[in-house]
């Protein structure tokens, strides 16, 4: 049920639920965060015959003859009173040694993976790190592993059926810092050459750095015909799954960020937010998101600093700037336009996510994001008594049912 | 042509009711395996709920979004409404198949303001299909709703049926001056929508 009352309470249930549902399990996840010899079973593993998922991709040209690749599952722990994780453990769950850029690493079932599945409602945030000689690269990616069919979108269902997640291109290898070299060397045999590809990549622990920061973040857009009596109430539903980029910085918590990949915030709201946009509105819809920087004090992580979105709020309102208008000039000209008479209403759940490249800039890092899986973003259009018939349509070439953006125009 | 329109409406209603009875008698139909489905996005059915303030006898028009993936003709034989629990059930007046790309978010009066042809007996095109339907209720100053349509059809000599979830509300007013306000009917539609979504299995 939707909640019509004004909602302003922030919520961090994406992280909160982890602790509430599986606090003890998470603690055990931290315990299994141990160095993982390449090719060995993950610590605490309960290996099944079938991998939970296989991560595949290319790390790019190897600086050395081989590379050690480790798959870490991200486990947030130590929540503060606001629900923000004060620590994120990257628990090694699979690894391999490669001699060419491409990799395909089966990730077996394990207690850590199962805990991450629980907290992510079937989606797990992975980090894949590769070290070749004294250079490294890393990429984060969420993977749908066990999302219920009712809650999954087509891409997630397809991925779950295939059992393989194809990762995007990795950033080019870059030299490890002295701290990283020392950490890797400490994890491997004392005699190992710092320039050699290690046998073991150590687990990684991120600690919160500074306070959280909140900022308006773009989650969608609204188009309302410039006709008296028209409005659209934009709903941001609590089941919303957000896929959001995150940043790494080698040395600076206030800048020099590079994109580290994407994470998924699943079921990030405990209730629903909404805002009603009136006649003629052509606006982005924004919500308040919470961001946190993390620091690797040891040198075991892919970078020295990381910046993540850790939560969202139910506040929805008009954002800055103006989105492009309907390219047909009017939905009546759109081959798939739909008539919308006065004195009526039309409630529609947008099933397709729209991806924006710049949803917010925090501490110098510009986040990109994709919102809205299935029933997570809803538009309720209302035409007052006496309002002229207007038209609704989707993006060019899309039927309205297959479009992430809805337009409403006078003709 | 009010008389002709009334007659046409009556015939359509008769056809709908007759075919509804046929659906009820269609015990051997296999409802699960047919080629006609609801459109889905993200693995979930596409659902919209329309709410329209109407005068007595006037239809509130809405659309069910279907997908026909058959490689042979699919023919609609009957359509009936599916009740939305907790709401007075609207009466189905007529059903049409979209004949252009244009669709129907919400409208009043039959035929709808975008091109369509009668649905009963119609052969459906391959791919996405817009099924328009008009509903109303018998009493002024009352609100009526449906949760969707039950569609009976034939395909390769076999009979099938499908429940297409498509919320629709008709707020019947005494006259145009006393017509249910846009706000009240829209609010009514907003109460129908989550019921429809729940019936459809959406994770709302």
């Amino acid at each position: 049920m939707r909640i019509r009352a004004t909602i302003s309470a922030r919520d961090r249930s994406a992280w909160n639920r982890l602790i509430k549902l599986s606090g003890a399990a998470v603690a055990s996840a931290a315990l299994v965060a141990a160095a993982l010899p390449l090719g060995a079973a993950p610590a605490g593993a309960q290996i099944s015959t079938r991998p939970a998922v296989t991560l595949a991709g290319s790390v790019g040209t190897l600086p050395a003859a081989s590379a050690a690749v480790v798959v870490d599952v991200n486990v947030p722990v130590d929540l503060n009173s606001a629900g923000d994780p004060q620590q994120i453990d990257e628990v090694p769950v699979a690894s391999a040694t490669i001699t060419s850029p491409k990799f395909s690493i089966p990730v077996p079932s394990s207690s850590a993976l199962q805990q991450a599945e629980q907290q992510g409602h079937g989606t797990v945030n992975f980090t894949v790190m590769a070290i070749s000689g004294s250079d490294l690269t890393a990429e984060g990616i969420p993977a749908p592993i066990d999302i219920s069919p009712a809650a999954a979108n087509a891409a997630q269902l397809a991925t779950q059926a295939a059992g393989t997640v194809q990762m995007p291109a990795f950033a080019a290898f870059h030299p490890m810092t002295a701290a990283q070299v020392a950490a890797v060397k400490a994890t491997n045999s004392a005699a190992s050459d710092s320039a050699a590809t290690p046998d073991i990549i150590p687990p990684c622990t991120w600690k919160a750095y500074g306070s959280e920061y909140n900022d308006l973040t773009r989650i969608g857009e609204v188009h309302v015909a410039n006709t008296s009596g028209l409005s659209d109430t934009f709903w941001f539903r609590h089941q919303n799954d957000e896929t959001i980029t995150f940043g790494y910085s080698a040395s600076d918590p206030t800048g020099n960020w590079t994109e580290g990949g994407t994470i998924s915030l699943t079921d990030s709201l405990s209730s629903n937010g909404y805002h009603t946009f009136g006649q003629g509105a052509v606006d982005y819809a924004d919500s308040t998101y919470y961001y946190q920087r993390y620091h690797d004090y040891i040198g075991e992580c892919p970078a020295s600093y990381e910046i993540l979105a850790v939560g969202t709020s139910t506040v929805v309102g008009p954002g800055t700037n103006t989105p492009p208008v309907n390219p047909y000039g009017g939905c009546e000209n759109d081959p798939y336009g739909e008539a919308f008479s006065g004195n009526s209403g039309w409630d529609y759940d947008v099933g397709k996510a729209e991806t924006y490249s710049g949803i917010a800039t925090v501490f110098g890092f510009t986040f990109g994001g994709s919102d809205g899986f299935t029933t997570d973003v809803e538009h309720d259009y209302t035409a007052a008594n006496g309002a002229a018939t207007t038209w609704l349509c989707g993006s060019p070439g899309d039927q309205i049912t297959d479009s992430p953006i809805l337009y409403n125009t006078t003709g | 042509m009010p008389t002709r329109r009334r007659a046409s409406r009556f015939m359509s209603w008769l056809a709908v009711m007759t075919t509804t009875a046929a659906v009820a008698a269609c015990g051997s139909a296999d409802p699960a395996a047919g080629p006609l489905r609801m459109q889905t996005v993200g693995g979930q059915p596409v659902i919209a709920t329309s709410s329209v303030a109407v005068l007595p006898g006037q239809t509130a028009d809405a659309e069910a979004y279907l997908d026909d993936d058959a490689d042979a003709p699919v023919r609609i034989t009957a359509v009936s409404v599916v009740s939305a629990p907790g709401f007075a059930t609207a009466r189905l007046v007529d059903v049409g198949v979209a004949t252009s790309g244009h669709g129907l978010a919400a409208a009043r009066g039959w035929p709808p303001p975008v091109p369509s042809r009668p649905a009963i007996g119609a052969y459906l095109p391959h791919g996405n299909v817009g099924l328009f339907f008009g509903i109303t209720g018998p009493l002024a100053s009352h609100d009526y709703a449906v949760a969707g349509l039950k569609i009976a059809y034939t395909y390769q000599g076999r009979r099938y049926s499908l429940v297409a979830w498509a919320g629709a509300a008709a707020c019947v007013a005494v006259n145009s001056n006393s017509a249910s306000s846009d706000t009240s009917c829209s609010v009514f539609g907003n109460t129908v929508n989550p019921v429809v979504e729940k019936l459809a299995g959406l994770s709302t």
Side-chain angles (χ1 to χ4, degrees), chain B residues 88-185:
Chain B
T89 303
R91 178 172 64 83
L92 181 62
V93 175
D94 214 333
V95 190
V97 179
T99 54
S100 71
H102 281 156
L104 198 57
R108 66 177 55 76
W110 198 267
V114 292
S116 66
R117 60 192 166 95
I120 305 302
Y123 289 96
L124 300 182
H126 182 82
N128 290 343
V129 178
L131 192 65
F132 303 151
F133 60 101
I135 58 169
T136 191
L139 299 176
S141 303
H142 284 70
D143 298 333
Y144 300 88
V146 301
L149 302 176
K150 184 173 184 180
I151 303 162
Y153 63 98
T154 57
Y155 170 66
Q156 293 187 328
R158 293 195 66 192
R159 292 177 293 178
Y160 300 89
S161 67
L162 165 77
V163 171
W165 302 110
C171 306
V172 183
V174 176
N175 56 54
S176 57
N177 291 331
S178 66
S180 297
S181 71
D182 56 288
T183 302
S184 63
C185 197

Side-chain angles (χ1 to χ4, degrees), chain A residues 227-250:
Chain A
T227 298
S228 177
L230 266 291
S231 67
D232 175 20
T233 300
F234 179 96
W235 287 87
F236 187 39
R237 285 178 176 270
H238 68 87
Q239 293 87 359
N240 199 55
D241 291 343
E242 297 282 309
T243 302
I244 307 172
T245 59
F246 68 92
Y248 285 137
S249 179

Side-chain angles (χ1 to χ4, degrees), chain A residues 73-368:
Chain A
V73 59
N74 289 257
V75 181
V77 295
D78 187 16
L79 304 194
N80 65 10
S81 58
D84 297 332
Q86 298 303 290
Q87 179 173 318
I88 297 175
D89 292 335
E90 296 194 0
V91 182
V93 289
S95 62
T97 299
I98 57 175
T99 55
S100 64
K102 291 187 177 178
F103 68 88
S104 179
I105 302 177
V107 178
S109 179
S110 66
S111 56
L113 193 67
Q114 289 168 0
Q115 291 152 15
E117 285 178 37
Q118 265 192 299
Q119 75 181 100
H121 302 89
T123 298
V124 174
N125 291 315
F126 288 107
T127 302
V128 176
M129 183 160 68
I131 297 179
S132 181
S134 56
D135 295 316
L136 75 78
T137 184
E139 179 79 14
I141 193 167
I145 293 179
D146 190 25
I147 304 176
S148 68
N153 65 31
Q156 290 169 327
L157 286 173
T159 299
Q160 286 187 170
T164 298
V165 172
Q166 194 66 40
M167 298 190 67
F170 280 55
F173 277 92
H174 57 273
M176 290 191 286
T177 63
Q180 287 170 328
V181 170
V184 168
K185 189 169 184 178
T187 308
N188 288 269
S189 68
S192 66
D193 180 353
S194 65
T197 296
D199 296 324
I200 301 172
I201 297 178
C204 153
T205 301
W206 295 102
K207 298 278 191 181
Y209 177 87
S211 301
E212 64 166 23
Y213 184 87
N214 67 73
D215 198 13
L216 289 175
T217 301
R218 184 174 299 167
I219 57 174
E221 61 187 85
V222 172
H223 300 257
V224 181
N226 192 11
T227 298
S228 177
L230 266 291
S231 67
D232 175 20
T233 300
F234 179 96
W235 287 87
F236 187 39
R237 285 178 176 270
H238 68 87
Q239 293 87 359
N240 199 55
D241 291 343
E242 297 282 309
T243 302
I244 307 172
T245 59
F246 68 92
Y248 285 137
S249 179
S251 59
D252 185 356
T254 60
N256 293 318
W257 301 101
T258 58
E259 187 175 312
T262 55
I263 62 161
S264 176
L265 284 178
T266 302
D267 278 17
S268 57
L269 301 173
S270 65
S271 55
N272 306 309
Y274 72 93
H275 183 83
T276 299
F277 295 76
Q279 172 188 346
V282 180
D283 290 321
Y284 287 112
D286 281 14
S287 180
T288 299
Y289 275 39
Y290 297 87
Y291 299 93
Q292 177 68 57
R293 290 173 294 174
Y294 295 90
H295 183 39
D296 169 19
Y297 288 89
I298 301 173
E300 298 167 329
C301 295
S304 186
Y305 295 93
E306 182 179 56
I307 186 166
L308 296 174
V310 292
T312 61
S313 78
T314 55
V315 175
V316 178
T320 56
N321 302 320
T322 301
V325 299
N326 174 263
Y328 283 104
C331 290
E332 190 173 7
N333 299 324
D334 185 309
Y336 301 118
E338 302 218 349
F340 183 47
S341 297
N343 207 0
S344 66
W346 190 68
D347 297 357
Y348 181 64
D349 295 321
V350 175
K352 204 167 185 179
E354 176 69 352
T355 299
Y356 297 102
S357 58
I359 60 173
T361 299
V362 179
F363 295 114
F365 181 71
T366 298
F367 289 83

Side-chain angles (χ1 to χ4, degrees), chain B residues 10 12 14 16 20 23 25 38 47 63 74 76 93 95 101 138 143 145 154 167 172-173 180 192 201-202:
Chain B
F10 174 75
S12 298
L14 189 63
V16 168
T20 299
V23 172
M38 292 191 64
I47 293 174
E63 179 175 355
V74 165
I76 292 181
V93 175
V95 190
D143 298 333
T154 57
V172 183
S180 297
V192 174
L202 290 179

Side-chain angles (χ1 to χ4, degrees), chain A residues 2 4 150 152-154 237 239 332 334-335 337-339 341-347 349 374 378 382-385 399 401, chain B residues 39 41-42 44 46-51 53 63 65 101-108 128 180 182 186 190 193 197 202-204:
Chain A
R2 292 173 303 181
R4 279 291 184 186
N153 65 31
R237 285 178 176 270
Q239 293 87 359
E332 190 173 7
D334 185 309
E338 302 218 349
S341 297
N343 207 0
S344 66
W346 190 68
D347 297 357
D349 295 321
T374 63
E378 180 176 314
T382 300
N385 195 0
Q399 293 200 346
T401 53
Chain B
Q39 286 182 36
V41 173
Q44 302 220 38
V46 172
I47 293 174
T49 293
S50 303
S51 54
E63 179 175 355
Y65 302 98
H102 281 156
L104 198 57
R108 66 177 55 76
N128 290 343
S180 297
D182 56 288
S186 179
N190 290 342
N193 191 43
E197 291 176 339
L202 290 179
S203 54
T204 56

